[in-house]
Amino acid sequence: MQIKSLFKEYKFRFLLTIVLILAEAGIMLLFPLFIGKAIDGVINESRLGVFQLGGLGLALLIVGVGRRVFDSRFYGKIYEAKGEKMVSRMKYNQSSVKTARLSMMQEFFEFLENALPELINNIIGLVGVVLILFSLNMKVFYGSLVVTIVIFLVYWLTSKKTMDYNEASNNEIERQVDVLAKNDQNALKNHLKQTVKWNIKLSDLEAFNFSVSWVVALAFLVVAIIVSVGDGVVQYGALFALVMYVFQYIENVLSLPLFYQNWLRLQEIMVRLRGS
């Protein structure tokens, strides 16, 4: 199964879901700005900003629910068609491998349905927030660029280990049905031990990467607040919006590397599915 051919075969439906994802991301990006305007409006005895904020929330609800209803049916249909086709081609493979790869294919489509929209939202959110920080405070903007580079460098340096651990973990998954069929207690014990071993290694690596990234991001948040107040931002709504954008930036910049790790796992899975 080739990703490129998959997108080509269902191009119009993929185009629709991408448009909905982009619309949802754009609306999310506007929330801190509208919240800040609503606060300043209430302080100045105006309700317009509050009503605008409510309208923005309603738009997000309509677009978000519509996309999820469409995606669940769209990706379910593709999984059904491609899963049947893949298993029918694997006539001489063991049942254990067929079961594992069908499960891996389901994981791939779950990524497209659930993680891909979040990934696009995070990318748009990160780029959008950084541009907004550029317009609000140059010092905070430069700090965000440095933090982004440091965090992505941490994950890039550990990407080889992530791929190796995922490969070993998937090898164990493909053996599972055969191990259970043998009804051998020692073989089962060893299989479970190996499965847990690679899951722990992946979890520990992720915990290390996230811990380093969080410390860097937390330091940036503290410094950004100090810098913003020191630069004389006097409107409470404007200061709140700036801090909200910094916090949104941190959320996005910490989430993106996790999607990168997930994508590394899917790359390993796609190698197996192409060989099916």
Side-chain angles (χ1 to χ4, degrees), residues 13 39 77-78 100 115 118 142 180 202 211 218 227 234 243 269:
R13 295 184 183 182
I39 292 174
K77 182 178 180 180
I78 300 178
E118 293 181 21
Y142 288 130
L180 294 174
L202 281 166
S211 297
L218 184 61
V227 168
V234 292
V243 174
I269 288 176

Side-chain angles (χ1 to χ4, degrees), residues 8-270:
K8 186 176 180 180
E9 183 178 353
Y10 299 93
K11 57 184 176 182
F12 293 113
R13 295 184 183 182
F14 274 116
L15 180 61
L16 176 58
T17 193
I18 289 173
V19 168
L20 292 173
I21 291 170
L22 293 176
E24 190 175 1
I27 294 172
M28 286 292 296
L29 187 61
L30 294 173
F31 261 96
L33 184 63
F34 274 62
I35 292 173
K37 286 184 176 181
I39 292 174
D40 285 336
V42 171
I43 291 175
N44 295 317
E45 299 183 353
S46 172
R47 299 290 186 270
L48 179 61
V50 174
F51 291 125
Q52 290 175 337
L53 180 61
L56 191 69
L58 183 60
L60 179 64
L61 175 65
I62 294 172
V63 174
V65 171
R67 180 186 62 78
R68 285 163 177 79
V69 169
F70 173 76
D71 281 357
S72 62
R73 288 158 177 77
F74 172 43
Y75 290 118
K77 182 178 180 180
I78 300 178
Y79 170 69
E80 182 181 346
K82 298 300 178 182
E84 182 181 355
K85 186 176 180 180
M86 182 191 69
V87 172
S88 64
R89 288 201 313 263
M90 298 172 62
K91 295 180 179 179
Y92 303 105
N93 291 76
Q94 296 173 318
S95 297
S96 181
V97 176
K98 289 181 179 179
T99 302
R101 293 192 182 177
L102 195 60
S103 177
M104 291 176 189
M105 178 178 283
Q106 183 178 18
E107 184 177 343
F108 170 73
F109 285 114
E110 284 177 355
F111 173 84
L112 291 180
E113 179 180 349
N114 301 314
L116 183 60
E118 293 181 21
L119 173 60
I120 295 175
N121 274 324
N122 273 271
I123 292 174
I124 294 175
L126 181 61
V127 174
V129 167
V130 169
L131 292 176
I132 291 173
L133 291 178
F134 175 79
S135 67
L136 295 177
N137 191 299
M138 289 300 295
K139 293 178 183 177
V140 176
F141 165 72
Y142 288 130
S144 69
L145 294 182
V146 173
V147 172
T148 301
I149 293 171
V150 171
I151 290 177
F152 276 84
L153 186 61
V154 168
Y155 281 86
W156 179 75
L157 291 174
T158 58
S159 60
K160 178 65 167 57
K161 279 190 176 181
T162 301
M163 288 287 286
D164 291 341
Y165 293 163
N166 275 311
E167 182 180 2
S169 176
N170 286 332
N171 286 338
E172 286 301 320
I173 292 174
E174 290 191 347
R175 295 180 56 241
Q176 190 168 83
V177 173
D178 286 342
V179 170
L180 294 174
K182 290 179 181 178
N183 201 24
D184 186 323
Q185 193 68 24
N186 290 329
L188 176 61
K189 183 177 180 180
N190 182 64
H191 166 68
L192 295 176
K193 183 178 180 180
Q194 290 298 313
T195 301
V196 171
K197 170 187 172 182
W198 296 116
N199 286 339
I200 289 175
K201 283 184 176 293
L202 281 166
S203 179
D204 287 348
L205 183 60
E206 181 179 332
F208 170 79
N209 289 342
F210 182 82
S211 297
V212 174
S213 302
W214 175 247
V215 170
V216 173
L218 184 61
F220 171 66
L221 175 62
V222 174
V223 172
I225 294 174
I226 295 173
V227 168
S228 300
V229 175
D231 285 350
V233 180
V234 292
Q235 286 186 304
Y236 293 111
L239 180 59
F240 177 81
L242 178 60
V243 174
M244 282 286 289
Y245 275 119
V246 170
F247 197 80
Q248 187 174 332
Y249 159 80
I250 290 174
E251 184 180 10
N252 289 331
V253 81
L254 289 177
S255 297
L256 277 178
L258 301 180
F259 289 109
Y260 173 67
Q261 284 190 319
N262 197 1
W263 178 249
L264 290 177
R265 170 172 173 76
L266 289 175
Q267 278 189 312
E268 207 281 327
I269 288 176
M270 290 304 297

